[in-house]
Amino acid sequence: MKSKTFRSALGVALTAAVSAVVLPASAASAAGNPAADSSVDGATATSFGRIADAVLTRRTAALLDNNQAARRMAPPVVKNVRLSAGQTKTEETALSSLRTRKARLAAMGEAYTAADTRVAVDNIRVKGGRATVVTTETTTLTYKKIRGDEPPTTGFQAHHEVKFAATADGKWQLTGITPTDDGPMAVNEPGTVAVKNAAALPSATPAATTKPSRQTQKPAGSYDYAAMAAYAEKYWSNYNPAYRKFNDAGGDCTNFVSQAMKAGGWADKSGTYDDYRSWWYDSSSQSTSWVGANEWSWFTLDSQRATNLSNVYDLGVGDVLQMDFDRDGSKDHTMVTSYRSSSGVPYLTYHSVNTYRKSVASIIASYPNSLYYAYRT
């Protein structure tokens, strides 16, 4: 099926590329359900992609500074496919949550004026009147020039499983959208993180998240910080084939940051793979400190390759930020600063969700209760 491009009422370009083979529904489970008695045809597959586009675009629009029209939009309906009653309520709650996040961002001095959300359908599985559609969302947001020194855009790639159920009249309903990435949620993802009960094993000092009245500048160091940033911004979405990926093994975020540190001059430190005092990568293996967020922190502080910063706004280009989503003492995510505005706002680039130049304000607005660990490299 050819890729099709649509344009919503908000003027955002939408793409639904449906290339997977669509499997027939299970006849044994489809009794009395006409829509489940046959395979999903190309038109229905395209409709799946279009309604996923519409829902995710509507979420993105809730963050825009000129969002009045999006608030009045009715729940999306595509030929033969619509939101279920339960999902309609879920989306209204999601939009309310995102508008709150927009207000929180505005209070921190950040806003977006435009957005481009595109959704590609990667795979469709159909069984027993149920369809699971695997999608990749690519979104770019344009920063509003509030201070005047913001970068032009921020962007991310996010993956979702979109669930559909066949109805008795031969149509389909979208019943749920679940993000499948590790790491911080995308800025248009309204979900929350559950708190875990785990032993607290902090290895670094949490950083303050309020912007200080007096900004600090990163002093010259022994590493090539520009090279770290250039590496991160080159490979944030197009992975370097010289390295293995760890997306399906706990997340690729620390592996990606280790690559950036290596590009900026960090040297291997030999030792056994499970000794946090070692740090290395080769063609067949790597140290746990190369790929593990906690182990990276332990190695970094023990080797004095980095020191803790007292405030996230002190991060400079090449510095690293880690997050403990649920405050359980275990670090969950690692990011590298690839840009810093002249007014002192750090912008982070990272894997899982693959993201380019996301401001620290945006991250804090989405996770106001998390712990943050800032490292001067």
Side-chain angles (χ1 to χ4, degrees):
M1 181 179 297
K2 293 183 179 179
S3 175
K4 296 184 178 180
T5 301
F6 310 97
R7 188 164 295 274
S8 76
L10 292 170
V12 181
L14 310 175
T15 301
V18 183
S19 57
V21 175
V22 181
L23 302 178
S26 168
S29 302
N33 193 336
D37 286 334
S38 61
S39 301
V40 173
D41 58 21
T44 301
T46 299
S47 294
F48 286 164
R50 292 188 65 175
I51 199 165
D53 263 325
V55 170
L56 294 172
T57 296
R58 196 165 176 246
R59 290 182 180 182
T60 303
L63 296 168
L64 298 184
D65 194 46
N66 53 354
N67 179 44
Q68 289 78 11
R71 293 192 184 195
R72 295 191 295 270
M73 285 178 62
V77 178
V78 177
K79 184 179 180 181
N80 293 328
V81 184
R82 64 186 305 139
L83 268 62
S84 67
Q87 190 62 28
T88 298
K89 293 180 180 178
T90 296
E91 287 304 312
E92 291 306 315
T93 301
L95 295 179
S96 177
S97 170
L98 290 168
R99 287 192 286 269
T100 299
R101 184 174 300 163
K102 184 182 80 167
R104 190 182 299 132
L105 278 167
M108 300 172 76
E110 181 165 318
Y112 313 115
T113 59
D116 181 28
T117 292
R118 300 170 186 263
V119 174
V121 174
D122 304 320
N123 181 264
I124 300 176
R125 303 187 302 273
V126 183
K127 184 177 181 180
R130 302 277 176 176
T132 300
V133 180
V134 179
T135 67
T136 298
E137 172 197 358
T138 302
T139 289
T140 302
L141 290 146
T142 301
Y143 285 112
K144 182 177 181 179
K145 294 297 183 180
I146 296 174
R147 296 176 304 274
D149 59 359
E150 294 87 347
T153 62
T154 179
F156 63 85
Q157 290 177 329
H159 302 87
H160 309 270
E161 280 193 348
V162 188
K163 301 287 188 178
F164 295 88
T167 60
D169 60 358
K171 298 182 179 180
W172 292 85
Q173 291 185 337
L174 190 158
T175 58
I177 300 180
T178 304
T180 59
D181 295 295
D182 295 313
M185 59 189 172
V187 70
N188 67 348
E189 170 56 50
T192 58
V193 176
V195 175
K196 304 173 185 176
N197 293 318
L201 295 170
S203 58
T205 304
T209 57
T210 55
K211 191 173 183 179
S213 57
R214 185 175 180 180
Q215 296 296 311
T216 63
Q217 294 296 322
K218 183 174 182 177
S222 57
Y223 303 115
D224 188 341
Y225 304 119
M228 294 176 180
Y231 183 95
E233 295 197 346
K234 179 178 181 179
Y235 292 111
W236 76 272
S237 62
N238 299 312
Y239 287 47
N240 186 347
Y243 291 97
R244 294 180 289 278
K245 302 177 185 178
F246 294 86
N247 302 81
D248 297 326
D252 198 63
C253 60
T254 307
N255 174 47
F256 177 63
V257 168
S258 288
Q259 293 171 34
M261 298 299 103
K262 181 85 169 180
W266 278 30
D268 286 355
K269 187 173 182 182
S270 61
T272 59
Y273 82 96
D274 57 353
D275 184 348
Y276 71 85
R277 293 167 295 186
S278 63
W279 185 83
W280 50 268
Y281 179 100
D282 63 27
S283 60
S284 60
S285 187
Q286 66 285 318
S287 65
T288 55
S289 60
W290 182 280
V291 295
N294 287 302
E295 291 84 352
W296 185 93
S297 175
W298 298 336
F299 166 77
T300 298
L301 297 176
D302 179 77
S303 64
Q304 298 184 349
R305 293 197 181 180
T307 56
N308 274 145
L309 292 168
S310 61
N311 193 296
V312 297
Y313 283 94
D314 291 337
L315 289 162
V317 171
D319 290 340
V320 172
L321 181 65
Q322 291 190 313
M323 294 177 64
D324 176 1
F325 296 139
D326 41 30
R327 304 173 73 94
D328 69 351
S330 180
K331 297 165 190 66
D332 301 299
H333 187 60
T334 311
M335 302 165 279
V336 62
T337 308
S338 66
Y339 177 83
R340 179 182 165 96
S341 71
S342 60
S343 62
V345 177
Y347 291 78
L348 288 303
T349 296
Y350 52 90
H351 278 182
S352 307
V353 173
N354 298 345
T355 297
Y356 169 80
R357 290 191 180 184
K358 186 173 186 178
S359 76
V360 72
S362 177
I363 295 169
I364 294 167
S366 298
Y367 290 90
N369 297 318
S370 293
L371 288 178
Y372 295 84
Y373 300 87
Y375 301 81
R376 165 67 33 83
T377 59

